[in-house]
Each structure stands twice: as structure tokens, then as C-alpha cells.
Amino acid sequence: MEHPVELLVHSYLQDVRQGTSTMSEENIQGIVKHVEEAVRKQFKKREGDFRLRASNIGRVACQLWFQKNKPEAAIPPSSHFLLRMIIGDITEAVFKGILKESGAAFEEPEKIEVEIAGEKIQGEYDLVLDNKVDDIKSTSPWSYKNKWVDGYSIEKSDPFGYVGQLTVYAKGKKVEPGGWWVINHSSGEFKYVKYTSDPRKVEKKLEETVKAVADDKFIRCFTPTRETFYGKETGRYVLNTECKFCNFRHACWEDRLTEEMSKVSKAKNKPIVSYISMKKGDK
């Protein structure tokens, strides 16, 4: 276990299952209040103007350029996207209630503001535990197993900017970044993933992002990668992980991007692959 509080939570949940513990009315009402606030927030009319904030500053500069200059070019979210967000909010609310009932003493959310490269960045963290800022993430079974492995894995592939987000929260609160409480919203499994990045290096990268957004010049941050099958190159090119999760990938690559069934997979249900046609001069 990465955090001693994990044992507290497991012990508390075992006691509840055995009928030797319950949840206080105060904590139940706290969960209800949290869920109510989250639902109101999710159904609130969205602000139209782009601004850098803690939740997006960790993303790559080319994606932020699109969010700022061509937000209409994004792939529209699915109709169930809002439900997924609300499920995440409910998971967070219940888990915080469980943390509190298990005996973990933590500070409630607080808004912060920091200055990075002359830009004021605002946000609101989830909690402060053991004098470190933590975030709570509700995730799919696949991400729980394959993405949320450890802090090094998150830093290596972080298309949603979670490392930068937590770094900003910690800077604003003037404490160290702790990590992420990750809950598999399908199985109910949970774990703590410790932040392992160097905050100084992350802050420097965030400064570069702020400057790039201010310059307002579009520069694609990634190049296609060579497709491989059983360790051998196929001669085709595909999007890397960061690009595959970007809602602006079609606007960025235009007709050079085709998303179709794998050309090499032998599986009955072939996975969808994002293929890129290369042009003369591409590397």
C-alpha cells in the first residue's frame, strides 16, 4: 500500500460488512450536500471564454491552442458524457465520506490561485491529507489496471494533465503534492497512487505552456508513431496515446487521419486504430 490511510479505509469497510460499524448522520449529510453541489455544477450553463486554469494547464500546448481559438472544432461529447461526470462526482463524494468515517483527518476543498509565467491560474483541490494535496479520480477498469499503475506511469503518459493539475494545487496551498485516490467505478476497488514527479521540473514545463498559449501560434506537439505488430513495423503510422485522447485530433490532422479497424489484428473484434497518412518531408 502507498498510503497508511488505505489500511484504515479497508478496515472500516470490513467492519461495515460485518455489522460492527456504520456511518454517522453527519457524514451522510455531508455526502448528500457534496452530490447536490456537484449536480448543480454539472447542469450549470458553461462559460464560453477560454482561460488557463489548474484543470487544463497540464495539457499540451497544441490542444490548448484549439480550445482557445477553435473550440467548435472539438469532437462533440457523447450524450452519456454528462452522466459519466456525475458518476465521478458521486464516487468522489461517497469516498470522501468513507475517508472521514474511517478516521482520516483531512482538509476540505479550497480555492487557490497561483501565478505562473505572469498568468494567474485558479483551481480548487479535493483535499489535503497529511499536509499534502490529494486528488480523487473515478476511473474505468482498463485505466485502473493499465494507466493508474504508479506516478512514473502517469507522468510518462498524461494526456489529461493530472500531474500539472496536482502540482498547481500544491503550489497554491503551499504544501507538497501527495497523490491520487483512484476508484474503479465498476468494481469499487481503490488505491492510492503517489505523486513521484519533480515539482520544479513540472512548474518549468507549465511556464513553457503558459508562454506558448500567450504566443498563440499553433505548433503540433507530437508526430505519428510507427505501427508495430508482434514487435515488427508494418510500414504504417498511427497516432500516439496523447493524440488519440485529444478531441481536436480530426481538426489537427484533417483528412490525413482515418479511424478504422486494425489492418493487422487477427482478433474477431478488431480494435479501432487511428491511422495517419504520411506526406513527403514528414519524419
Side-chain angles (χ1 to χ4, degrees):
M1 292 186 178
E2 291 281 1
H3 202 294
V5 170
E6 286 182 84
L7 187 58
L8 281 178
V9 176
H10 280 293
S11 179
Y12 165 67
L13 292 176
Q14 252 329 75
D15 289 343
V16 172
R17 289 288 297 164
Q18 294 172 0
T20 59
S21 188
T22 182
M23 180 174 282
S24 68
E25 184 62 27
E26 181 182 1
N27 277 340
I28 291 174
Q29 291 305 315
I31 292 173
V32 171
K33 180 181 178 182
H34 188 153
V35 172
E36 179 184 359
E37 291 173 350
V39 172
R40 292 185 185 282
K41 176 183 175 183
Q42 292 296 347
F43 283 94
K44 183 180 179 181
K45 187 176 180 180
R46 304 293 175 181
E47 296 179 7
D49 295 335
F50 170 86
R51 61 185 175 87
L52 283 173
R53 53 192 185 280
S55 59
N56 69 5
I57 193 174
R59 295 179 181 245
V60 293
C62 53
Q63 185 179 112
L64 293 173
W65 183 90
F66 270 107
Q67 289 182 1
K68 178 182 178 180
N69 295 282
K70 294 185 177 182
E72 71 283 356
I75 299 171
S78 60
S79 57
H80 60 262
F81 175 77
L82 185 60
L83 282 175
R84 191 174 74 194
M85 297 298 290
I86 293 174
I87 289 171
D89 290 331
I90 293 172
T91 301
E92 177 186 331
V94 173
F95 190 75
K96 287 179 74 173
I98 290 172
L99 278 175
K100 188 172 292 186
E101 198 69 43
S102 69
F106 59 86
E107 293 182 38
E108 294 286 354
E110 186 176 85
K111 295 184 184 298
I112 57 93
E113 181 177 281
V114 299
E115 186 170 308
I116 298 178
E119 186 80 15
K120 290 183 179 180
I121 309 298
Q122 299 177 333
E124 183 175 347
Y125 59 78
D126 285 342
L127 69 155
V128 172
L129 182 60
D130 290 342
N131 205 37
K132 294 181 180 179
V133 172
D134 288 343
D135 220 1
I136 300 175
K137 299 297 182 186
S138 170
T139 188
S140 68
W142 186 92
S143 292
Y144 186 87
K145 179 180 179 180
N146 297 285
K147 175 180 174 158
W148 292 101
V149 178
D150 52 39
Y152 303 103
S153 300
I154 297 301
E155 184 175 33
K156 185 178 179 181
S157 179
D158 188 23
F160 300 107
Y162 295 142
V163 173
Q165 180 183 25
L166 199 60
T167 303
V168 170
Y169 290 154
K171 182 178 176 66
K173 183 61 178 174
K174 295 182 173 58
V175 297
E176 294 180 13
W180 300 270
W181 291 95
V182 186
I183 302 100
N184 181 332
H185 57 223
S186 177
S187 68
E189 296 171 277
F190 69 92
K191 59 185 172 183
Y192 185 79
V193 177
K194 188 178 179 181
Y195 176 105
T196 55
S197 305
D198 183 339
R200 292 170 298 181
K201 291 182 179 180
V202 176
E203 285 182 33
K204 186 175 181 180
K205 186 177 179 180
L206 295 178
E207 290 175 0
E208 293 172 355
T209 298
V210 172
K211 292 176 182 176
V213 172
D215 287 343
D216 212 18
K217 295 179 181 178
F218 178 75
I219 299 176
R220 190 178 289 128
C221 302
F222 303 102
T223 56
T225 59
R226 294 178 183 273
E227 182 188 41
T228 58
F229 188 65
Y230 286 109
K232 295 183 179 180
E233 295 183 0
T234 66
R236 286 178 284 267
Y237 289 81
V238 297
L239 291 183
N240 66 358
T241 302
E242 282 74 8
C243 285
K244 283 191 294 185
F245 283 107
C246 179
N247 289 331
F248 296 98
R249 59 187 182 275
H250 286 287
C252 180
W253 292 98
E254 298 179 325
D255 59 357
R256 297 176 62 185
L257 168 64
T258 57
E259 295 181 326
E260 53 189 301
M261 288 189 293
S262 171
K263 299 177 184 293
V264 293
S265 174
K266 305 299 182 183
K268 182 178 180 180
N269 297 315
K270 302 182 190 303
I272 299 298
V273 178
S274 300
Y275 287 107
I276 293 292
S277 60
M278 300 296 283
K279 291 182 178 179
K280 187 176 181 180
D282 285 338
K283 296 181 181 179

